């Protein structure tokens, strides 16, 4: 094994039985001289062979873990990874659309911004909000995701900066917010279809449809991420084409003066900000799939850039068309109203096309979110934060237990209304983002020279300034939450604070098996020679 630092200092322990050699900041134990001089040759040979076996095993462990040289995590050898052949890696184009579906999936669900604040503020929101929130979150995801390209994603970011306890809290809050978010998509799916199929508006048929959708979409995740990735490409194109057609058909009837309508005395700021926030967040979710991405250090930043452009265009232009082509009746602008506008502009055929696109889009958002959530649980288990059975993969390479847990959570939460789901999800998501901002800044302060394949320009001061506007926005969103949402969300946070020590107790008592993947480096504050950061 090649030493990364020539400054070596020998230190003997108190007993003098063995020697420790300091290599940079790492301490390596060196065995004392062989006792072979005092034993017969055959015994000496056996002792040497055993020692060689131990040395070879230790060397293989070191190679698997790699070494850190102060500039970045450097692999000094290769051992075949048991994860390497699980599934085909995700390339750039599927990754762009997976991010698109993690964040957006199209303009379905933007209607409440008009109902809450009118056309002008709705249009401005989808132009200004990305500058305040989406771009900073995407940039942080690009930098941190390429530093730690593994499936635990933002969990390892927070763990490296604040320790495994807070890393677990990050994983718990983000997983729970993701499951709550996924419970929303069957609701939206059925809301867009209910105008054509009234039976889906409520009652037993709606419950059966919700469960059926969840089972079918869960099976798609089970079958493999690669299928989900290219399916997302198809869904993205299919979901956006009807809006292109609607735009051309609406040109003769557009009235630009309708876009300037505003009444600041009649704005539901809570609904307005929650809807914008929900439609333009979750850029960091793709980090939990970084271990499945082909060449993530180059592919991830490119995919985030292209997806950002796609998301903004997919929101702004359909909203421009919808608010410009029909007289304003704010009370009508609720989820599913874009299909009614399609009926006005093009007739029944366009409404059915748009409803089909909305249904397919919500399918895409569901499978993308579930992929992110389930791979995060797998990544946490690989780091010993969850029991080992969460690392179990299906024959398609997908995280079997993580998918099952996420699907159960979706079914349990699917009875909530659209507005309740959005508010509860945003509240938990805000807590998780605060931890991410802190981790991002701390890593810049504590380890400014750490290798960053993609680095946001501006230095540490620039990183702090960039995080200020989204942090203010988080405070506003939290302050506008209802008491019911606040209480439920804080209870969920409290469960996570207690759960981590309980799992550690279970591990100590050996009631469940926990393991740490030898392929992954340890966190900074764990007792290991090899760490994520030095």
């Amino acid at each position: 094994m090649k030493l990364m630092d020539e400054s070596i200092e020998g230190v003997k322990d108190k007993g003098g039985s063995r020697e420790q050699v300091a290599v940079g900041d790492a301490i390596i134990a060196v065995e004392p001289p062989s006792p072979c001089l005092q034993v017969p040759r055959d015994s000496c040979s056996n002792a040497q062979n055993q020692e060689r076996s131990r040395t070879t095993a230790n060397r293989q462990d070191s190679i698997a873990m790699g070494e850190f040289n102060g500039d970045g995590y450097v692999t000094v050898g290769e051992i075949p990874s048991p994860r390497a052949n699980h599934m085909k890696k995700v390339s750039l184009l599927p990754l762009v659309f997976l991010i698109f579906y993690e964040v957006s999936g199209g303009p379905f669900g933007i209607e409440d911004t008009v109902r809450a604040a009118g056309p002008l503020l709705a249009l401005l929101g989808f132009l200004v909000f990305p500058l305040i929130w989406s771009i900073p979150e995407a940039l942080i995801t690009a930098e941190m995701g390429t530093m730690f390209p593994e499936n635990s994603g933002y969990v390892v970011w927070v763990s490296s900066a604040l320790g495994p306890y807070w890393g677990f809290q990050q994983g718990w809050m983000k997983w729970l917010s993701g499951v709550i978010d996924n419970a929303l998509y069957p609701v939206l799916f059925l809301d867009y279809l209910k105008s054509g199929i009234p039976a889906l508006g409520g009652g037993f048929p709606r419950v059966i449809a919700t469960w059926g959708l969840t089972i079918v979409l869960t099976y798609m995740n089970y079958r493999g991420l690669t299928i989900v990735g290219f399916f997302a490409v198809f869904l993205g194109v299919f979901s956006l084409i009807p809006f292109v057609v609607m735009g051309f058909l609406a040109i003769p009837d557009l009235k630009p003066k309708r876009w300037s309508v505003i009444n600041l005395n009649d704005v539901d700021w809570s609904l307005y900000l929650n809807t914008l926030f929900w439609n333009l967040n979750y850029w960091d979710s793709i980090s939990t799939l970084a271990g499945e991405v082909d060449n993530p250090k180059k592919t991830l930043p490119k995919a985030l850039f292209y997806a950002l452009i796609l998301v903004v265009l997919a929101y702004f232009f359909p909203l421009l068309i919808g608010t410009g082509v029909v007289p304003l009746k704010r009370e009508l602008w609720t989820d599913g109203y874009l299909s009614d506008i399609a009926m006005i502009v093009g007739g029944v055929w366009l409404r059915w096309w748009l409803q089909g696109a909305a249904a397919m889009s919500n399918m895409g958002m569901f499978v993308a979110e579930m992929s992110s959530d389930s791979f995060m649980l797998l990544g946490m288990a690989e780091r010993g934060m969850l029991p080992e059975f969460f690392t179990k993969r299906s024959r398609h390479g997908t995280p079997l237990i993580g998918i099952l847990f996420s699907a159960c959570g979706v079914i349990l939460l699917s009875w909530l209304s659209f507005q309740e789901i959005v508010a509860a999800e945003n509240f938990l998501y805000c807590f998780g983002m605060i931890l991410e901002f802190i981790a991002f800044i701390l890593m810049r302060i504590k380890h400014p020279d750490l290798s960053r394949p993609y680095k946001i320009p501006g230095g540490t001061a620039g990183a702090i300034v960039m995080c200020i506007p989204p942090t203010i926005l988080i405070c506003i969103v939290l302050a506008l939450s209802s008491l019911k949402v606040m209480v439920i969300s804080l209870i969920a946070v409290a469960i996570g604070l207690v759960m981590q020590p309980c799992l550690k107790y279970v591990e100590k008592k050996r009631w469940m098996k926990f393991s740490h993947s030898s392929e992954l480096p340890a966190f900074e504050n764990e007792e290991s020679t090899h760490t994520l950061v030095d």
Side-chain angles (χ1 to χ4, degrees):
M1 182 170 63
K2 183 179 178 182
L3 297 178
M4 309 309 293
D5 194 324
E6 295 181 358
S7 174
I8 301 178
E9 179 185 0
V11 181
K12 287 187 177 180
D13 63 13
K14 291 182 180 179
S17 60
R18 67 175 184 175
E19 196 174 56
Q20 290 183 334
V21 179
V23 183
D25 294 329
I27 303 297
I28 300 177
V30 180
E31 296 296 328
S34 172
C36 294
L37 293 176
Q38 289 82 32
V39 297
R41 177 173 295 183
D42 289 342
S43 299
C44 178
S45 177
N46 290 335
Q48 287 175 336
N49 289 336
Q50 292 173 1
E51 182 65 25
R52 270 197 297 267
S53 298
R54 285 195 298 268
T55 303
T56 301
N58 291 338
R59 182 177 294 124
Q60 287 177 339
D61 288 341
S62 296
I63 290 172
M65 294 292 288
E67 285 192 337
F68 190 83
N69 69 351
D71 294 326
Y73 181 70
V74 180
T75 302
V76 295
E78 291 184 3
I79 285 181
S81 167
R83 293 187 300 166
N85 296 319
H86 274 303
M87 58 206 309
K88 185 178 178 182
K89 297 292 186 178
V90 181
S91 57
L92 179 61
L93 183 61
L95 187 61
V96 169
F97 279 91
L98 278 173
I99 297 172
F100 174 70
Y101 274 104
E102 293 276 11
V103 177
S104 166
F108 314 102
I110 64 173
E111 295 95 336
D112 279 327
T113 57
V114 179
R115 180 160 69 97
L120 182 60
L121 286 180
L123 292 167
L124 289 176
F126 284 104
L127 291 179
V128 176
F129 202 91
L131 300 175
I132 299 173
W133 181 263
S134 299
I135 291 177
E137 187 183 5
L139 288 172
I140 291 172
T141 301
E143 179 171 317
M144 301 294 285
T146 54
M147 286 175 66
F148 307 111
E150 56 180 89
N151 290 336
S152 43
Y154 35 69
V155 175
V156 76
W157 309 350
V158 175
S159 298
S160 297
L162 300 172
Y165 178 82
W166 290 108
F168 180 90
Q169 305 310 318
Q170 173 75 351
W172 164 249
M173 286 185 286
K174 284 302 189 78
W175 178 79
L176 193 57
S177 68
V179 170
I180 295 172
D181 181 58
N182 242 3
L184 181 63
Y185 300 126
V187 173
L188 274 176
F189 187 109
L190 299 176
D191 282 346
Y192 266 87
L193 292 182
K194 68 184 180 182
S195 60
I197 310 175
L200 297 178
F204 186 71
R206 187 179 179 91
V207 173
I208 294 298
T210 301
W211 283 43
L213 282 171
T214 301
I215 292 170
V216 170
L217 297 176
T218 300
Y219 177 73
M220 290 180 60
N221 277 274
Y222 164 78
R223 283 300 305 271
L225 181 61
T226 303
I227 295 176
V228 172
F230 282 102
F231 185 61
V233 177
F234 165 75
L235 286 180
V237 175
F238 180 79
S239 299
L240 295 177
I241 286 179
F243 290 99
V244 175
V245 174
M246 188 169 74
F248 281 111
L249 293 177
I251 290 175
D253 299 319
L254 287 177
K255 295 182 179 180
K257 66 179 182 179
R258 291 173 176 164
W259 298 328
S260 61
V261 176
I262 184 173
N263 183 2
L264 294 177
N265 296 321
D266 185 20
V267 176
D268 185 343
W269 291 106
S270 178
L271 179 61
Y272 175 68
L273 289 176
N274 269 307
T275 306
L276 284 173
F277 194 73
W278 174 72
N279 278 286
L280 288 162
N281 62 14
Y282 277 90
W283 295 94
D284 59 341
S285 293
I286 199 63
S287 67
T288 62
L289 304 176
E292 314 300 323
V293 173
D294 182 26
N295 192 10
K297 293 181 179 180
K298 292 184 178 180
T299 305
L300 185 59
K302 289 181 181 179
L304 284 163
F305 174 74
Y306 295 137
L308 181 62
I309 295 174
L310 183 61
V311 166
V312 173
L313 292 178
Y315 282 144
F316 184 76
F317 284 103
L319 192 59
L320 197 70
I321 295 165
T323 54
V325 77
V326 296
L328 178 63
K329 294 182 180 179
R330 283 173 54 176
E331 67 277 6
L332 298 178
W333 281 84
T334 186
D335 52 296
Y337 186 58
L338 285 176
S339 64
D340 295 332
I341 295 176
M343 175 72 177
I344 296 170
V345 172
V348 177
W349 66 272
L350 186 58
R351 184 182 72 173
W352 275 105
W353 188 5
L354 194 140
Q355 286 176 335
M360 298 293 281
S361 173
N362 282 285
M363 290 173 59
M365 289 187 282
F366 185 101
V367 294
E369 180 63 49
M370 182 171 282
S371 293
S372 174
D373 295 339
S374 57
F375 270 101
M376 185 195 68
L377 294 180
L378 181 145
M380 291 177 70
E382 288 179 335
R383 288 202 163 275
M385 295 182 177
L386 293 174
E388 189 182 49
F389 61 79
F390 277 95
T391 63
K392 181 177 177 58
R393 293 188 184 232
S394 70
R395 62 189 179 90
H396 303 288
T398 50
L400 181 61
I401 305 302
I403 288 174
L404 291 176
F405 265 71
S406 298
C408 291
V410 170
I411 290 175
L412 290 173
L413 293 167
S414 60
W415 58 272
L416 295 172
S417 69
F418 179 92
Q419 288 77 18
E420 288 175 328
I421 292 173
V422 168
E425 171 208 336
N426 285 346
F427 197 97
L428 290 170
Y429 190 82
C430 285
F431 275 103
M433 288 309 304
I434 290 173
L435 288 178
E436 281 186 32
F437 292 158
I438 294 172
F440 168 64
I441 293 171
L442 281 180
M443 292 298 288
R444 280 293 189 96
I445 295 173
K446 294 166 61 178
H447 306 285
D449 298 325
L450 195 67
S451 176
R452 291 168 168 83
Y454 176 85
K455 185 174 183 179
I456 304 169
T460 302
I464 294 173
V465 171
M466 185 184 72
C467 291
I468 292 175
T471 302
I472 294 173
L473 180 62
I474 284 175
C475 294
I476 295 172
V477 171
L478 292 176
L480 292 175
S481 298
S482 67
L483 180 61
K484 176 183 177 181
V485 168
M486 189 178 300
V487 170
I488 293 175
S489 300
L490 289 176
I491 291 173
V493 171
I495 291 173
L497 295 175
V498 175
M499 187 186 304
Q500 198 270 353
C502 290
L503 286 174
K504 285 298 179 184
Y505 183 78
V506 168
E507 180 181 8
K508 182 180 179 180
K509 292 293 185 179
R510 297 185 178 180
W511 293 341
M512 290 184 181
K513 186 177 180 181
F514 291 73
S515 63
H516 189 294
S517 174
S518 61
E519 301 171 25
L520 301 174
F523 299 127
E524 180 185 20
N525 56 350
E526 288 182 342
E527 295 181 0
S528 174
T529 300
H530 304 285
T531 59
L532 282 167
V533 292
D534 198 358

